[in-house]
Amino acid sequence: MLFRAVVFLAALTPLAAQDLASRAQTKLDKLGDGEYRSHAVVEFPPEEINAWAARKVPEIVPEGLRSGRVELGNGTVIASALVDFAKIRRTTNPLVARLIEGERPLKVFLRLQSSGGRCTVYLTRVELSGIVLEGGVLDFLVQNFFTTLFPDSKINQPFEIGFEVDRIEVTPQAVRVTLR
């Protein structure tokens, strides 16, 4: 009996993750379409964020990134994944290719500050294979990998959120989006 229950729960897990991803996508679509009323608060719990990311990240980065996970804190986000930079960004420089090839654990530490329809995402720390990256090495990775994949991204720079969003707050329980 216990075995059947475990098998049943294991079979439901992908369905539950799909449902969570769909729930997050519905909320994002409603935000984009302006379907929420003024001063509404839309919450994205970590389970929804992780399920949505598991579905969407492969569409954006089809190779070289797997096992992504987001942990929420008070105003902070830790994103982790296994990354093979050589598969994400092909390079013709053989020296650079050798330095970046192979799957490695990556952790990115962010702090988010938001109010008045603006947001700033601060990159506070990066760990690659347990090694803390900072200074010039971190700048190189951001400029040569992140911004080439996402040229419109703003790191350590304020930007307009849009969609009538007043602020975004991060707590361990959820990312809360508050409308104007």
Side-chain angles (χ1 to χ4, degrees):
M1 185 69 162
L2 178 61
F3 176 73
R4 284 184 183 164
V6 169
V7 169
F8 178 73
L9 289 174
L12 286 179
T13 301
L15 295 174
Q18 230 176 12
D19 185 47
L20 289 169
S22 295
R23 192 177 325 161
Q25 186 62 55
T26 298
K27 291 175 187 179
L28 289 168
D29 291 342
K30 288 174 83 172
L31 278 168
D33 294 340
E35 293 183 28
Y36 288 107
R37 61 179 170 34
S38 292
H39 306 290
V41 176
V42 183
E43 293 191 350
F44 295 89
E47 300 81 17
E48 283 182 12
I49 295 167
N50 284 312
W52 181 86
R55 180 189 289 171
K56 290 296 182 179
V57 168
E59 295 173 14
I60 300 165
V61 183
E63 284 187 275
L65 184 69
R66 68 180 186 90
S67 300
R69 180 133 188 86
V70 172
E71 298 172 47
L72 305 178
N74 290 314
T76 63
V77 177
I78 300 172
S80 58
L82 294 173
V83 178
D84 185 335
F85 289 110
K87 288 182 179 177
I88 292 174
R89 182 166 187 273
R90 308 251 186 252
T91 179
T92 56
N93 183 323
L95 177 60
V96 171
R98 283 202 100 168
L99 288 172
I100 65 173
E101 72 184 351
E103 195 172 71
R104 295 175 171 86
L106 174 72
K107 274 191 172 184
V108 178
F109 297 75
L110 305 167
R111 183 174 52 85
L112 189 127
Q113 187 174 351
S114 175
S115 68
R118 296 179 65 77
C119 183
T120 306
V121 178
Y122 297 97
L123 179 60
T124 59
R125 177 183 172 131
V126 172
E127 292 178 9
L128 183 61
S129 298
I131 298 169
V132 175
L133 303 176
E134 54 193 5
V137 174
L138 182 55
D139 292 341
F140 173 83
L141 283 176
V142 169
Q143 290 172 358
N144 290 284
F145 291 95
F146 187 79
T147 55
T148 58
L149 288 171
F150 309 102
D152 297 332
S153 63
K154 305 282 185 207
I155 302 290
N156 302 330
Q157 302 173 40
F159 59 91
E160 291 290 326
I161 302 169
F163 306 107
E164 294 301 314
V165 172
D166 180 56
R167 68 184 175 279
I168 300 170
E169 299 169 278
V170 180
T171 71
Q173 294 77 32
V175 172
R176 291 189 178 103
V177 177
T178 303
L179 299 180
R180 294 181 189 166

